[in-house]
């Protein structure tokens, strides 16, 4: 009888050690997976899912502004947001201008789950690409600079790392007599852009 109990205890001890070792391996594998997660993947998991209500988060941006918004699209180096309060249109934010994102703990944990695979197209949709769509649409914009200054007008051209802005009053069409000046703005100086209409995001 005593030997039976001894072997049962030994079996339980080995099973317990095996479970502890497997849990440690699972934890290490999860740490390794999380070490490879990129911001774009977490933002994709915040994006509004079909049939579900959007997740509203607070975004601290490079000019000191904080906006409450939901994610509507994610590109290679930028995110598109829909403001929770305020005018329609779209907000475009380069990843480099995101200071912090505040959201409920459950949503924060959900964004750490494995994301669905990104299309190769999404990885090619750079900030310049989406701005060129606004150029084609002749959409009015408010360009918020990291310095805190705001320039309003229409983007005439968007290069690889800068844009040309025709400065005019917000809400008015771009006409030669309405333009008060022109600015060449490096992307690195942009905290965020509010566009009067949302760009076409494939």
């Amino acid at each position: 009888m005593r030997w039976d109990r001894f072997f049962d205890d030994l079996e339980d001890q080995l099973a317990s050690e095996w479970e502890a070792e497997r849990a440690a391996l699972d934890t290490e594998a999860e740490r390794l997976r999380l070490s490879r997660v990129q911001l774009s993947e977490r933002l994709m998991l915040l994006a509004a899912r079909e049939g579900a209500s959007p997740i509203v988060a607070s975004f601290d941006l490079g000019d000191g502004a904080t906006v409450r918004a939901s994610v509507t699209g994610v590109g290679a180096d930028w995110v598109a947001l829909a403001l929770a309060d305020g005018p329609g249109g779209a907000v475009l934010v380069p990843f480099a201008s995101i200071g912090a994102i505040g959201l409920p703990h459950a949503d924060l944990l959900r964004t750490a789950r494995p994301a669905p695979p990104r299309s190769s197209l999404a990885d090619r949709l750079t900030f310049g690409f989406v701005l060129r769509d606004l150029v084609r649409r002749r959409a009015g914009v408010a360009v918020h600079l990291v310095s805190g200054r705001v320039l309003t007008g229409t983007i005439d051209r968007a290069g690889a790392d800068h844009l040309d802005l025709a400065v005019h009053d917000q809400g008015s069409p771009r006409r030669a007599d309405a333009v008060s000046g022109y600015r060449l703005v490096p992307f690195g100086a942009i905290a965020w852009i509010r566009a009067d209409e949302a760009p076409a995001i494939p």
Side-chain angles (χ1 to χ4, degrees):
M1 276 304 258
R2 281 197 325 228
W3 283 110
D4 288 343
R5 221 149 95 234
F6 173 74
F7 284 120
D8 286 345
D9 286 349
L10 196 55
E11 249 178 54
D12 289 345
Q13 185 179 355
L14 285 171
S16 176
E17 287 176 9
W18 170 249
E19 286 299 317
E21 188 175 330
R22 197 174 83 196
L25 287 172
D26 288 347
T27 300
E28 189 56 36
E30 179 64 3
R31 282 192 192 116
L32 182 61
R33 184 191 70 77
L34 286 171
S35 72
R36 296 179 179 145
V37 172
Q38 296 185 11
L39 178 62
S40 60
E41 296 172 81
R42 297 192 76 173
L43 288 169
M44 278 177 42
L45 288 171
L46 277 179
R49 296 161 304 183
E50 201 171 311
S53 54
I55 297 168
V56 176
S58 65
F59 290 80
D60 296 336
L61 304 178
D63 64 343
T66 298
V67 297
R68 285 178 21 83
S70 56
V71 175
T72 58
V74 181
D77 56 357
W78 57 272
V79 62
L81 306 174
L83 295 176
D85 317 306
V91 169
L92 304 172
V93 184
F95 288 166
S97 184
I98 298 174
I101 303 170
L103 61 160
H105 190 247
D107 292 327
L108 180 74
L109 292 177
R110 191 172 66 76
T111 66
R113 292 182 188 153
R118 274 170 66 89
S119 72
S120 60
L121 177 62
D123 290 331
R124 293 195 309 262
L125 295 177
T126 63
F127 192 55
F129 181 93
V130 76
L131 293 181
R132 283 186 282 282
D133 183 66
L134 294 177
V135 171
R136 280 189 291 278
R137 293 167 178 269
R138 309 303 291 155
V141 296
V143 180
H144 296 255
L145 304 178
V146 293
S147 66
R149 189 166 178 207
V150 180
L151 302 171
T152 61
T154 303
I155 302 172
D156 283 343
R157 284 164 291 284
D161 60 356
H162 66 282
L163 61 83
D164 294 354
L165 184 73
V167 179
H168 58 78
D169 290 338
Q170 193 164 5
S172 66
R174 187 208 185 288
R175 290 190 308 267
D177 60 342
V179 173
S180 62
Y182 300 90
R183 299 288 185 280
L184 191 149
V185 184
F187 289 169
I190 297 172
W192 54 294
I193 293 177
R194 195 190 68 70
D196 292 342
E197 59 181 87
I201 302 169

